[in-house]
Amino acid sequence: MYVPKNVYTNKDLMKYMDTSDEWIQERTGIKERRFAERNGETTTTMGVEAAKIAIERAGITPQEIDFIVFATLSPDYYFPGCGVLVQRAMKMNEIGALDVRNQCSGFIYALSVADQFIRTGTYKNILVIGSEKHSFGLDLSTRGRNISVIFGDGAGAVVLQPTSKGNGILSTHLHSDGNSAETLAMYNPGTHANHWTDTKLADFNDAELADMFMSHDMVEKGQNFPYMDGQAVFKKAILTFPEVIMEPLSANGYQPKDLSMLIPHQANLRISQFVQQKMGLRDEQVYNNIHRYGNTTAASVPIALCEAWEEGKIKENDIVCLAAFGSGFTWASALIKW
Ligand SMILES: CC(C)(COP(=O)(O)OP(=O)(O)OC[C@H]1O[C@@H](n2cnc3c(N)ncnc32)[C@H](O)[C@@H]1OP(=O)(O)O)[C@@H](O)C(=O)NCCC(=O)NCCS
């Protein structure tokens, strides 16, 4: 994992918007988050820093990586994706590089894709990265406070390899429901030209119709920032998380009590606490670090996985579940015998 050195506490955010430490902690559990350097640090460079550690720990070199899967919602460029920038920055061979756009579930979707290539024997060393530079795309004024206080920057990476020991990824499970696509979304830049007006799910339709990705009107109305209906997201998340955690447990003959560690996407501490309670999990079965990093979207699962492992909380043969829910809506899980 890699997180930028700049720490922004809740009190620091009060310099930009009308909010309070109490409000943020009570509703989200977040105390502080990291924001990348404005210049010189990008979603890709943070991903590369995490990747260097993952590759070193895997005992290989960047030239031995034979496929890259990069999950992010905050890419360096609208196109091309971050995967090719990693390939260039790490002087890798001319291998495949795939970008995954599944927001908070992005890392687990990416892992699932990598898992299929490993299972078919197509590739031997796949680099999977989740990285976000949210700070570049947040409305830090009071207008954007319901969403901007939640997000932070950072990156996590893993190297996936085949194993013959019976451990590894047992199964992955992917879901989506596009009916709520506008509930948590960044509409612009995009080609929608207000086409989805009948959804009535969001307030993006009052910007003048543009015949290009981005117009001055959109910028003036703050429609270049993400939109979130927080309560709708919360309600769906607490229904979906327990289901998507039970799915791999049932598929592999396990019960919640058999879980050594649940690594939930760090969306909101209240969501994780609700899920823990609903599933009857003990404190030591659930890893939370949202208080230090906020929600880092595609990076949150690999960052939490890395910290849990570094703290000795994940050991060989442990049953570990990764689970995420977010924009799309999409949700996903992976069960791993470590
Ligand atoms: C975003 C979230 C924390 C907001 O909490 P909430 O209890 O739903 O709060 P509301 O949006 O109803 O707003 C309550 C009040 O707080 C205010 N408020 C919103 N953001 C605020 C902030 N950062 N600081 C202070 N006040 C804030 C609102 O303006 C509103 O004021 P009003 O009652 O005077 O109108 C909560 O909905 C949530 O956690 N949702 C899930 C979000 C999530 O997990 N997203 C990531 C998914 S991957």
Side-chain angles (χ1 to χ4, degrees), residues 148-286:
S148 300
V149 299
I150 294 177
F151 293 102
D153 300 343
V158 299
V159 172
L160 209 63
Q161 298 173 319
T163 172
S164 53
K165 290 196 289 181
N167 53 1
I169 296 177
L170 301 177
S171 61
T172 57
H173 305 263
L174 311 178
H175 296 278
S176 71
D177 174 8
N179 288 309
S180 300
E182 286 80 11
T183 304
L184 172 51
M186 185 164 145
Y187 311 120
N188 305 307
T191 58
H192 60 82
N194 293 353
H195 176 72
W196 303 108
T197 48
D198 59 335
T199 59
K200 304 255 187 280
L201 282 170
D203 58 359
F204 68 96
N205 299 319
D206 60 344
E208 214 167 88
L209 189 61
D211 56 4
M212 56 179 74
F213 267 171
M214 186 68 82
S215 67
H216 291 290
D217 190 41
M218 286 174 187
V219 175
E220 270 162 29
K221 291 189 163 124
Q223 295 183 346
N224 52 327
F225 293 116
Y227 169 86
M228 178 175 72
D229 176 346
Q231 292 191 9
V233 174
F234 195 96
K235 281 182 198 150
K236 182 76 174 177
I238 58 174
L239 284 178
T240 311
F241 262 111
E243 285 172 12
V244 84
I245 296 163
M246 275 313 296
E247 200 175 353
L249 289 175
S250 304
N252 293 283
Y254 292 109
Q255 294 174 5
K257 68 174 170 50
D258 303 318
L259 256 185
S260 315
M261 185 60 79
L262 169 65
I263 308 276
H265 164 51
Q266 305 293 302
N268 180 319
L269 188 62
R270 288 194 303 152
I271 294 176
S272 293
Q273 287 169 337
F274 184 94
V275 171
Q276 178 180 339
Q277 196 186 22
K278 177 106 201 265
M279 300 193 69
L281 299 172
R282 301 181 309 279
D283 283 353
E284 60 273 21
Q285 285 178 288
V286 185

Side-chain angles (χ1 to χ4, degrees), residues 15-288:
K15 292 175 206 153
Y16 310 104
M17 64 180 81
D18 179 14
T19 189
S20 69
D21 184 37
E22 297 72 37
W23 194 98
I24 300 172
Q25 283 209 48
E26 196 184 296
R27 312 267 175 147
T28 69
I30 299 165
K31 295 182 179 173
E32 59 189 43
R33 73 284 294 140
R34 305 294 177 95
F35 283 167
E37 293 290 338
R38 290 201 83 69
N39 301 313
E41 208 161 41
T42 75
T43 295
T44 300
T45 68
M46 290 190 288
V48 165
E49 291 308 312
K52 281 182 194 164
I53 302 168
I55 289 170
E56 193 193 320
R57 287 182 182 175
I60 58 172
T61 64
Q63 290 67 40
E64 288 173 88
I65 295 291
D66 43 23
F67 192 55
I68 303 164
V69 194
F70 198 119
T72 187
L73 63 67
S74 49
D76 293 29
Y77 298 129
Y78 192 84
F79 73 87
C82 294
V84 298
L85 303 181
V86 170
Q87 184 274 340
R88 177 175 72 187
M90 301 193 79
K91 299 188 171 47
M92 289 167 167
N93 297 327
E94 291 178 351
I95 55 172
L98 172 71
D99 273 47
V100 164
R101 298 192 42 165
N102 284 76
Q103 298 69 251
C104 300
S105 327
F107 182 78
I108 300 177
Y109 266 77
L111 199 64
S112 176
V113 171
D115 183 40
Q116 309 314 310
F117 279 117
I118 294 287
R119 282 174 194 274
T120 57
T122 309
Y123 297 123
K124 297 270 178 286
N125 294 299
I126 304 184
L127 176 63
V128 184
I129 300 176
S131 180
E132 304 287 358
K133 185 177 175 179
H134 276 301
S135 56
F136 234 52
L138 294 176
D139 179 359
L140 288 174
S141 73
T142 299
R143 181 178 63 182
R145 66 182 178 175
N146 77 315
I147 184 161
S148 300
V149 299
I150 294 177
F151 293 102
D153 300 343
V158 299
V159 172
L160 209 63
Q161 298 173 319
T163 172
S164 53
K165 290 196 289 181
N167 53 1
I169 296 177
L170 301 177
S171 61
T172 57
H173 305 263
L174 311 178
H175 296 278
S176 71
D177 174 8
N179 288 309
S180 300
E182 286 80 11
T183 304
L184 172 51
M186 185 164 145
Y187 311 120
N188 305 307
T191 58
H192 60 82
N194 293 353
H195 176 72
W196 303 108
T197 48
D198 59 335
T199 59
K200 304 255 187 280
L201 282 170
D203 58 359
F204 68 96
N205 299 319
D206 60 344
E208 214 167 88
L209 189 61
D211 56 4
M212 56 179 74
F213 267 171
M214 186 68 82
S215 67
H216 291 290
D217 190 41
M218 286 174 187
V219 175
E220 270 162 29
K221 291 189 163 124
Q223 295 183 346
N224 52 327
F225 293 116
Y227 169 86
M228 178 175 72
D229 176 346
Q231 292 191 9
V233 174
F234 195 96
K235 281 182 198 150
K236 182 76 174 177
I238 58 174
L239 284 178
T240 311
F241 262 111
E243 285 172 12
V244 84
I245 296 163
M246 275 313 296
E247 200 175 353
L249 289 175
S250 304
N252 293 283
Y254 292 109
Q255 294 174 5
K257 68 174 170 50
D258 303 318
L259 256 185
S260 315
M261 185 60 79
L262 169 65
I263 308 276
H265 164 51
Q266 305 293 302
N268 180 319
L269 188 62
R270 288 194 303 152
I271 294 176
S272 293
Q273 287 169 337
F274 184 94
V275 171
Q276 178 180 339
Q277 196 186 22
K278 177 106 201 265
M279 300 193 69
L281 299 172
R282 301 181 309 279
D283 283 353
E284 60 273 21
Q285 285 178 288
V286 185
Y287 194 82
N288 290 305

